[in-house]
Amino acid sequence: MAARRSRIPATKYPVERFTLDNGLRVVLTPDRSAPVIGVAVVYDVGIRSEPEGRTGFAHLFEHLMFQGSENLEKLAHFRHVQGAGGTFNGSTHLDYTDYFETLPSNALERALFLEADRMRGPRLTEENLRNQVDVVKEEIRVNVLNRPYGGFPWLTLSPVMFDTYPNAHDGYGSFDDLESATVDEAVDFFRRYYACGNAVLAVSGDVDVAEATELIRRHFGDVEARPAPVRPDFGEPDLTAERRQSYTDRLAPMPAVASAWRVPDPITDFTTYLAYVVLAEVLTDGDASRLVERLVQRERTVTSIGGYLGFMGDPFDVRDPTALVLQTHLPPGGDVDKVLRTVDEELDRLATDGLTDGELARTQARMATHLLRDTDAVLGRALRMAVLEQQRGEPGLLNDLPRLVGEVTEEQVRAAAATLRPERRASIEVIPGGAR
Amino acid sequence: MTTPTLPARRELPPLGPITRLKLPRQAERTLPNGLTVIVVRRPAVPLVEVRLGVPFGRAHLARGALLAQTLLAGTERMSALRIAAELQKVGGGLSAGVDPDRLMLSGVGLVTGLDRMLEIMADVLTGATYPADEVATERAHLVDRIEMAQSQPSHLARVALLRRIYGRHPYAVQTPQPDQVRAVRPAALRTLHAERVHPNGAVLVLVGDVQPDRALDAVERALGGWRGDGREVTLPPTPPLEPGPIRLVDRPGSVQSSLRIALPAVGRTHPDHAALQLANLVFGGYFSSRWVENIREDKGYTYGPHAMVEHSAAGSVLVAGADVATEVTGPALLETVYELGRLASLPPGEEELEQARRYALGSLQLGMSTQAGLASLTSAYAGSGLRLDFLAEHAARLAKATVEDVAEAAARYLAPARAATVVLGDAERIGPGLAVLAPVESEPAST
């Protein structure tokens, strides 16, 4: 078949940036195509920054940010957002924590008021803390402890690959650590990390730039100015010898294995890094991808396979150190060694023989579709731009991602594949302990 | 130290004027072969979303599930690999799935690839061959996936609830057993395809950066030759809910219990529907509801309780679900019954109804603000024989529902006396705590 390239389209979302006197960075991206807005506040603190002995604290604190603030009682935040016709949530990542709403555009000022109020200070009380420790424990039970493959691989692979506490510990946290958390620690965490200078506000969708700017100044202008804390270097040396561990999951009916290899710095070496983002898709995106075609379809040695950048699966919102991850589920009695050997073989073949005619272009075309689809949602735009501003000072990169992905060359993908050697690999194997 | 509770110094800003619901530009055509095509224009990003729903009620469970997995596994012209690569080339992808009512073929791609995607769809719809090798592969994967699901508490609780509420109705079992899947042969898939995969009664929805009339022409060119006059298969209406003892399903060693409560509900066009939706919101259908504020934000029993009205072709049902710590299973059910009973007995407050109403109306705006959201909504509505303009009608009903209407709907549909309750968990630990609340019948965990 002829390798006719699909032309990669671009988006042209406008980007307005400014910084308030108190250090809060702001990104606006107007789009009047639907009467809805996205509001995101991103704080530069995540799982890697939580104190030793306090695993899960960044996520627990995220919950506390919803429990009332200077002018708002407990429950008020939820009621005000939803009572305006909107939805809300927050999430905790390795390098940041985000808080966000999508609302009909007539609620813009209300959303800004709510975010500014908790930026001034949440109500950190013993009662709220105990209640949310209980809620978080149920979250961990539902997502990790009461289901098969809970926490696989994001919680179980990091400690094999990394040696230092910030990179290796369990981001959901142990029940002991969560139960030991105190209000004073929460107050200290807020003072240190939830500073204006450590935050980015992004507003997208049906807004007028001048009006939104005025409202943002009105509501955030007098939030106390505190500078961002110095972010430590979380770097770790690369692996020099293969690492492999296993554990028995008493609920899992079948084996599974996940592997990770370190990749270049996503911020300072973005061009090289992008080749790995494309490589992950060449390997695993869809039935025509290399590993799916061979392992899932032809040899049936695995039931499913996924490949992605970053332990939490988003290539564009993580800093160094990070990894390319491949995760597979095997059929009953599947042979993990054989699967790992086949992956090595395919990586060799890719590095040595290169790609087939049209293979790279079709992978890039579908990557463009996924990127565009994510930004169609007004909130997806606000969140992504907020993080790009925070980590790169470049929110407009969002418009360029489909094109940049499309510019990755075959040579770059081959070079990336050549670095994924067994001696740089960390793997975690799930041994099934579940009754069948 | 704690943040002192100061008197509020800053006032919550009011909401601006409400934007009226504005429907996007759309066009519809029914082709001579009976296929209904609906095209909705939202040019925000240069993509097109595709949703094809083919009536599939009463299809053989195991064969239907495997047909969905192998519909794209090869045609006279193209191998499975070629189909996947050709779709990818235009930035596209298609996947098939089944529910008790429909076979769904869904996807998204660059809008420049629309013609090619339609061509490939036509090729599989008219000429899927179900090659033996690919069928064997997908059969093995499907068996693995089913066995994987059978270790998930959410799946087991769903299976037990469906069996409890639907009895002998075809909806009672929606996942085939591994052995039933293992018995399916390619010839059976070809037969099922010939009998059921027909344009007559099917609805294709396209949403994206397209000109509606031109897109209709493109569909007609590509799919006009899809033939077949499939017989109408109708499902009997779902049976009324039979209240009864709590059904306790044992999952030894479970650290949480899955509570699932089914209550009666009505379809989208029923005059009670808007009031029921509001009653459900006030009870537990969104975060700022009585139930969530009680069992999560006050008592910390659970992480994510949820309640929603589920619509199917043969009937609707309201399902409330929460996964709660094993040791508070009884107390959590007690609070649930209390909140249902309170709303069924006493009218909601004016302000809490307004809050739920604004949420429901806002959700309509948000749901229409993306191509993917519009496509799913249009396709779901079409499955109930409705079009997007019903949104405006529904919004008007939501706006008009009074406290009395909602109280009446709550008394009629949310009464705990009408509930069918299933609890999956460690029976030995939770049985006694449930038995003090209501009679309990036990069933061993089966799949």
Side-chain angles (χ1 to χ4, degrees):
Chain A
M1 44 186 171
R4 200 167 45 85
R5 274 190 92 95
S6 280
R7 209 178 49 80
I8 304 274
T11 50
K12 296 192 184 68
Y13 296 113
V15 181
E16 301 278 341
R17 303 167 67 208
F18 58 93
T19 303
L20 299 184
D21 293 346
N22 56 14
L24 177 68
R25 283 157 292 166
V26 180
V27 181
L28 299 178
T29 176
D31 156 30
R32 316 305 294 258
S33 73
V36 296
I37 53 165
V39 176
V41 178
V42 175
Y43 295 91
D44 199 339
V45 58
I47 288 165
R48 289 201 242 233
S49 296
E50 53 203 26
E52 298 224 22
R54 284 294 172 267
T55 54
F57 200 84
H59 171 240
L60 174 62
F61 192 85
E62 176 222 313
H63 277 242
L64 295 176
M65 284 289 280
F66 287 92
Q67 294 293 308
S69 50
E70 198 170 276
N71 297 284
L72 295 161
E73 300 286 338
K74 179 175 162 115
L75 304 178
H77 181 91
F78 310 122
R79 291 175 176 181
H80 290 321
V81 173
Q82 294 190 314
T87 60
F88 64 85
N89 213 332
S91 61
T92 309
H93 300 250
L94 294 176
D95 292 322
Y96 69 95
T97 309
D98 59 21
Y99 299 87
F100 49 88
E101 297 83 40
T102 319
L103 306 116
S105 42
N106 67 328
L108 171 64
E109 188 177 5
R110 176 178 289 196
L112 296 173
F113 174 91
L114 294 172
E115 288 300 350
D117 209 62
R118 61 178 163 185
M119 194 178 280
R120 287 191 193 89
R123 293 195 186 189
L124 302 169
T125 69
E126 188 63 28
E127 193 184 359
N128 287 343
L129 177 63
R130 293 299 141 233
N131 166 248
Q132 289 305 306
V133 166
D134 284 344
V135 170
V136 168
K137 281 164 65 180
E138 292 318 310
E139 181 177 355
I140 294 169
R141 285 191 175 113
V142 83
N143 287 335
V144 182
L145 302 173
N146 203 42
R147 65 159 51 164
Y149 313 101
F152 171 81
W154 79 280
L155 295 176
T156 52
L157 183 54
S158 317
V160 184
M161 166 147 265
F162 295 117
D163 297 323
T164 63
Y165 171 84
N167 297 316
H169 76 271
D170 173 346
Y172 249 146
S174 72
F175 282 12
D176 279 351
D177 284 2
L178 290 166
E179 283 162 1
S180 314
T182 68
V183 170
D184 284 351
E185 287 167 346
V187 170
D188 183 59
F189 195 81
F190 179 80
R191 292 282 323 162
R192 185 187 307 256
Y193 295 110
Y194 279 71
C196 269
N198 209 32
V200 174
L201 163 69
V203 180
S204 60
D206 186 22
V207 296
D208 172 84
V209 171
E211 184 194 7
T213 303
E214 165 54 31
L215 288 172
I216 288 166
R217 289 191 193 286
R218 185 185 311 165
H219 288 282
F220 288 88
D222 64 354
V223 176
E224 180 198 11
R226 301 203 308 282
V230 176
R231 188 174 181 274
D233 177 7
F234 293 121
E236 286 194 32
D238 193 2
L239 303 190
T240 50
E242 182 180 6
R243 294 182 178 186
R244 199 163 146 186
Q245 288 177 24
S246 65
Y247 65 100
T248 299
D249 180 338
R250 66 179 180 85
L251 299 174
M254 300 167 210
V257 63
S259 301
W261 296 260
R262 290 283 297 277
V263 294
D265 187 319
I267 311 293
T268 60
D269 197 2
F270 189 50
T271 307
T272 317
Y273 173 80
L274 262 185
Y276 289 82
V277 180
V278 174
L279 170 63
E281 304 298 324
V282 167
L283 294 172
T284 62
D285 179 34
D287 287 352
S289 65
R290 297 216 158 200
L291 296 181
V292 175
E293 191 276 319
R294 181 168 173 188
L295 293 165
V296 182
Q297 304 297 350
R298 197 154 23 110
E299 296 177 359
R300 268 199 250 159
T301 45
V302 309
T303 304
S304 65
I305 183 160
Y308 47 90
L309 269 286
F311 288 86
M312 296 180 109
D314 191 328
F316 306 117
D317 69 0
V318 72
R319 298 191 183 98
D320 196 57
T322 183
L324 182 148
V325 179
L326 285 179
Q327 70 174 86
T328 64
H329 286 268
L330 283 68
D335 181 346
V336 167
D337 291 320
K338 186 175 172 191
V339 169
L340 294 180
R341 269 200 315 275
T342 313
V343 170
D344 289 338
E345 212 177 283
E346 284 298 321
L347 289 166
D348 271 344
R349 215 160 59 89
L350 191 55
T352 313
D353 306 345
L355 293 105
T356 58
D357 188 23
E359 187 180 6
L360 181 59
R362 63 178 161 84
T363 303
Q364 290 163 323
R366 184 145 67 205
M367 289 177 78
T369 294
H370 290 313
L371 287 164
L372 292 166
R373 201 185 200 200
D374 288 346
T375 59
D376 184 28
V378 72
L379 180 63
R381 241 170 293 153
L383 280 169
R384 174 96 7 122
M385 281 197 189
V387 176
L388 291 173
E389 169 67 51
Q390 183 160 83
Q391 298 185 348
R392 301 164 185 271
E394 215 183 336
L397 188 64
L398 183 70
N399 287 321
D400 303 329
L401 284 176
R403 178 180 57 77
L404 293 170
V405 158
E407 284 171 359
V408 170
T409 65
E410 176 179 2
E411 211 31 64
Q412 288 175 297
V413 174
R414 287 175 66 172
T419 68
L420 305 190
R421 309 293 312 153
E423 62 271 17
R424 296 181 61 245
R425 180 178 66 206
S427 301
I428 186 76
E429 178 183 345
V430 180
I431 298 165
R436 285 182 37 82
Chain B
M1 82 160 236
T2 61
T3 311
T5 309
L6 301 165
R9 290 168 301 118
R10 297 169 198 258
E11 289 296 315
L12 182 77
L15 297 173
I18 289 200
T19 321
R20 282 188 56 89
L21 201 70
K22 204 163 139 257
L23 293 179
R25 201 148 66 79
Q26 53 186 310
E28 177 173 332
R29 186 182 301 171
T30 299
L31 308 187
N33 61 4
L35 175 70
T36 298
V37 189
I38 304 170
V39 181
V40 183
R41 176 168 168 78
R42 175 175 159 78
V45 283
L47 302 178
V48 61
E49 297 274 348
V50 179
R51 304 282 187 279
L52 173 68
V54 180
F56 217 58
R58 291 203 145 162
H60 183 282
L61 207 54
R63 291 173 198 161
L66 193 53
L67 180 140
Q69 295 305 313
T70 49
L71 181 63
L72 297 154
T75 65
E76 296 295 343
R77 268 182 242 141
M78 294 195 285
S79 67
L81 183 64
R82 177 88 195 275
I83 292 171
E86 288 291 302
L87 284 167
Q88 201 178 15
K89 208 195 279 186
V90 293
L94 286 172
S95 65
V98 274
D99 66 28
D101 297 326
R102 297 193 292 179
L103 169 71
M104 289 294 302
L105 186 58
S106 311
V108 59
L110 297 171
V111 70
T112 46
L114 175 61
D115 286 342
R116 187 68 186 120
M117 273 177 75
L118 291 170
E119 261 175 41
I120 293 168
M121 280 174 77
D123 197 25
V124 301
L125 291 167
T126 58
T129 49
Y130 303 97
D133 273 2
E134 278 75 4
V135 169
T137 301
E138 292 303 333
R139 189 168 54 212
H141 291 320
L142 181 58
V143 167
D144 288 346
R145 266 202 301 278
I146 293 168
E147 293 191 331
M148 193 82 88
Q150 290 174 343
S151 63
Q152 297 272 8
S154 55
H155 175 79
L156 295 172
R158 181 79 188 171
V159 166
L161 184 74
L162 293 172
R163 204 173 29 236
R164 166 68 181 80
I165 64 180
Y166 291 123
R168 308 168 69 82
H169 191 274
Y171 285 173
V173 181
Q174 300 184 5
T175 314
Q177 288 299 329
D179 282 339
Q180 296 171 316
V181 173
R182 288 188 188 101
V184 179
R185 297 289 167 264
L189 298 176
R190 288 191 279 270
T191 304
L192 181 62
H193 187 115
E195 282 176 357
R196 301 299 306 273
V197 184
H198 290 310
N200 197 21
V203 181
L204 172 65
V205 172
L206 299 182
V207 179
D209 189 7
V210 288
Q211 295 297 345
D213 290 327
R214 276 207 297 228
L216 288 177
D217 293 342
V219 172
E220 181 140 18
R221 276 194 306 273
L223 291 171
W226 180 21
R227 287 281 170 257
D229 52 359
R231 52 190 171 92
E232 286 266 322
V233 175
T234 49
L235 285 159
T238 52
L241 273 190
E242 298 280 346
I246 297 167
R247 184 166 292 181
L248 175 55
V249 187
D250 192 17
R251 184 171 181 258
S254 207
V255 296
Q256 274 182 329
S257 301
S258 308
L259 307 182
R260 299 293 184 269
I261 295 106
L263 290 151
V266 292
R268 289 189 174 93
T269 53
H270 191 285
D272 290 348
H273 181 244
L276 168 62
Q277 195 191 345
L278 292 167
N280 179 55
L281 286 173
V282 171
F283 156 68
Y286 70 146
F287 199 98
S288 311
S289 65
R290 295 172 173 195
W291 191 40
V292 179
E293 290 183 355
N294 178 342
I295 66 172
R296 173 180 153 136
E297 291 298 289
D298 184 49
K299 301 191 177 64
Y301 289 165
T302 183
Y303 169 59
H306 45 274
M308 67 180 301
V309 179
E310 302 176 6
H311 298 290
S312 305
S316 301
V317 63
L318 193 161
V319 177
D323 298 308
V324 305
T326 296
E327 47 276 13
V328 296
T329 304
L333 183 62
L334 177 68
E335 297 300 331
T336 306
V337 171
Y338 164 76
E339 293 297 0
L340 287 168
R342 189 158 68 100
L343 193 57
S345 310
L346 296 162
E350 288 279 358
E351 183 42 43
E352 72 179 332
L353 174 56
E354 283 318 305
Q355 183 183 285
R357 191 195 317 274
R358 286 193 301 263
Y359 177 76
L361 291 168
S363 300
L364 299 181
Q365 298 272 27
L366 300 183
M368 287 172 45
S369 67
T370 63
Q371 293 173 344
L374 264 175
S376 300
L377 185 73
T378 309
S379 175
Y381 267 24
S384 306
L386 299 166
R387 296 298 179 260
L388 274 186
D389 55 1
F390 180 74
L391 268 178
E393 200 176 318
H394 183 56
R397 291 181 189 184
L398 286 168
K400 277 210 299 273
T402 63
V403 166
E404 291 71 32
D405 296 336
V406 174
E408 213 170 292
R412 194 169 301 157
Y413 304 102
L414 265 57
R418 305 196 61 182
T421 302
V422 169
V423 182
L424 173 91
D426 190 330
E428 200 180 333
R429 292 181 61 199
I430 64 179
L434 292 171
V436 301
L437 300 175
V440 174
E441 59 181 19
S442 292
E443 74 166 47
S446 77
T447 48

